[in-house]
Amino acid sequence: MVLALDRINSLARRIPTGVVWVGAMIPFVWLVWAAATNRLGADPVKAIELRLGLWGLQFLLASLCITPLRKIGLNLLRFRRALGVMAFFYIAMHFLAWVVLDMGLRWDEILRDLYKRPYIILGMVGLLAMLPLAVTSTHAAIRRLGAARWRRLHQLAYVAAAAGAIHFVILVKGWPLEPLLYAGAVGALLLLRLRVPHKVRT
Amino acid sequence: QTGVAKSAFSTDAAPNTLSEITTYNNFYEFGLDKGDPARNARLLTTDPWGIEIGGMVDRPGSYDLADILQGAPLEERIYRFRCVEAWSMVIPWVGFELAHLLNKAGVQPGAKYVAFETLVRPEEMPGQKTAALDWPYREGLRLDEAMHPLTILATGLYGDPMPNQNGAPIRLVVPWKYGFKSIKSIVSIRLTDTQPQTTWNMQNAREYGFYSNVNPEVSHPRWSQASERRVGAGIFAGREDTLMFNGYGEQVASLYAGMDLSKDY
C-alpha cells in the first residue's frame, strides 16, 4: 500500500501540471464541436447547460479531494490550482450559457429569477464564492495575502461546493439519484474537514 | 392512417421534426432522462390493448382498442405542446375527440370528472421498478374540459401510429395544459363525481395543481413560466413569450370564468 502510494507520488511529480490544464479543456472543446455539428440531441441548450455545470461541479469536487488524499499519503497538491481554476471556468461558462442561450438575454426575467428562485440564487452564491478564489489563484496573490489568510479565503470553496450541490438537487423535477449522489459526495468531503476536538476531559 | 382529415384547430406553426418529438420525452415509466423513453420503450407490447371504462357511465366494461377506434373520427391536429419545464414543441397528432369515446360509453348525469390511468407493467416499463413516482401514473380532467373539442385521444403522429415513447397506443392530448396532464398509454378511464387524484399533484401539490393550465402569470414555485424555449429552434434562438392557455384562450378561457387561476393553478 505505502509502496503503491510512493510510486503514484513519484509518477505525479513527473507529470507537468500543463497536462491537467490542457486535459481539462478537452471536454469544453468537445462540447463546442458537438454543438456546432448538431450532436447534442433535440435540446442542445439544456445539454450544454447541464454538461458545463456538471463538469464545473466535478472539477470542484476533484479539487476538494486533494487535502483528504494527502492525509492518506497521496500528494497531488501541485494539480489543485488547475482543478480549481478549471472548475471556475466551467461554472462561469455554465452561467454564461444560462444567460445567453437559455434565457436569451431577457434581462427582466433573469433579474427576477436572481432574487426569486432559490436554485438560481444558490447557483449565483456558488459562482460568486468562486470569483475571489479564481482572482487569488496566482503565486503572487498567495504571497500578498499570506498563507494563512489565503487558506482562510479559499475555504469559500466549501460554500461553492455546497451551494452547487443543492442547486443541482432542487432544480430538477422529482428526486432523481444523480444530484443526490453529488450532494452526498460534497457532504462527505466537507465532513472530512470537520476538526475533531482534541480536548480530552477527565 | 392515411386520408386523415385536417382540422381547423391546427396551428400553422411549423411542426417539430419526428426525431425531436421522439427523442425528447418525459415518460418516467421508461426512465428519468429525456432520452430514456426512446431507448427503453421498444420493450412495450401495445397489441393487444384494452381500456377499462368505468364509473358513472351507462356502458361500463373492458373495451378492446380496435372497438374504440372503430368509427372514431380521426383528424390531424397540429397542436402547440408546452411542458411545465418551460420548453415547447409543435406536434402533428392524429387522434379523435375524447368526447366521442365518452359519448359512446354514455356519461351519466351526476358525473363531474374523468380519471385516467397509465398501464402498469414493470417488466416492460423499467422505470416502474423504481419508486420515482407512485404508479400507476394518474391524471384527471373536469368533465367540461374532457368534453371540449380541443381535447383528443391521440393514436398517432405525423400520420403514423403513435411511437411507444410518445404514449402508444393511445394517449390524451390537452393542448392548453402543461404536458404532464396529457397522460400516455391509457388503460383506464373512469367517470366520477369527485376530483380524482393526479400523479404530480400527489407528488408535490404546491408545485403542480389539478388544473395546470398553461399560465405565464402563475410561476412554478421554482421557476418562471413567463417564457419558453422552442425545442429545435437552434442554440441562439432564445425564448418566446408563453401565451395564456398556451394560445388556446379563445377556445377555453370561458371554462374558467369566475375562477381565480392563481389559486386553482
Side-chain angles (χ1 to χ4, degrees), chain A residues 154-166:
Chain A
H154 278 243
Q155 286 180 346
L156 277 174
Y158 308 159
V159 175
I166 302 171

Side-chain angles (χ1 to χ4, degrees), chain A residues 12-196:
Chain A
R13 268 194 300 277
R14 271 176 280 137
I15 297 174
T17 55
V19 171
V20 177
W21 288 103
V22 173
M25 279 307 289
I26 291 172
F28 185 75
V29 173
W30 172 83
L31 192 63
V32 172
W33 171 80
T37 55
N38 212 0
R39 272 156 220 266
L40 293 173
D43 191 359
V45 170
K46 273 289 149 193
I48 290 168
E49 209 172 53
L50 179 74
R51 295 242 162 82
L52 289 171
L54 208 52
W55 290 332
L57 189 56
Q58 287 165 353
F59 277 109
L60 189 56
L61 278 171
S63 73
L64 288 176
C65 285
I66 301 291
T67 298
L69 285 177
R70 242 163 39 120
K71 287 190 181 143
I72 62 160
L74 198 59
N75 190 353
L76 303 172
L77 191 61
R78 309 171 46 232
F79 304 114
R80 189 169 65 182
R81 183 204 315 268
L83 294 173
V85 171
M86 290 315 292
F88 175 74
F89 169 76
Y90 279 107
I91 295 301
M93 287 295 139
H94 172 69
F95 171 73
L96 213 61
W98 175 66
V99 169
V100 178
L101 306 183
D102 190 343
M103 298 308 292
L105 298 173
R106 290 184 166 223
W107 292 105
D108 52 331
E109 279 179 53
I110 291 171
L111 291 176
R112 240 179 300 148
D113 277 357
L114 277 175
Y115 72 86
K116 272 175 85 171
R117 315 272 167 230
Y119 82 91
I120 302 277
I121 294 169
L122 276 168
M124 271 320 284
V125 167
L127 175 64
L128 291 177
M130 291 176 86
L131 196 59
L133 311 190
V135 172
T136 60
S137 63
T138 59
H139 283 297
I142 300 174
R143 266 196 310 277
R144 224 173 23 246
L145 283 167
R149 271 167 65 203
W150 184 91
R151 254 202 306 277
R152 218 174 316 125
L153 177 69
H154 278 243
Q155 286 180 346
L156 277 174
Y158 308 159
V159 175
I166 302 171
H167 164 80
F168 192 17
V169 169
I170 65 174
L171 75 88
V172 290
K173 206 154 110 245
W175 297 98
L177 187 62
E178 197 187 6
L180 295 175
L181 290 178
Y182 279 96
V186 168
L189 284 168
L190 296 190
L191 276 176
L192 281 174
R193 287 166 160 82
L194 281 183
R195 229 164 277 157
V196 185

Side-chain angles (χ1 to χ4, degrees), chain A residues 43 102 106 109 170 172, chain B residues 24 208 222 227 229 239 241:
Chain A
D43 191 359
D102 190 343
R106 290 184 166 223
E109 279 179 53
I170 65 174
V172 290
Chain B
Y24 196 73
Y208 310 102
R222 285 180 287 153
S227 62
R229 271 179 330 98
R239 301 190 150 237
D241 289 332

Side-chain angles (χ1 to χ4, degrees), chain B residues 11 21 24 29 34 53 67 69 71 75 82 90 174 189 200 206 237:
Chain B
T11 165
I21 296 169
Y24 196 73
E29 281 78 349
K34 286 183 182 56
I53 302 181
D67 295 335
L69 296 181
E75 286 184 6
R82 169 64 156 78
V90 174
V174 194
I189 299 177
W200 279 103
R206 209 173 64 85

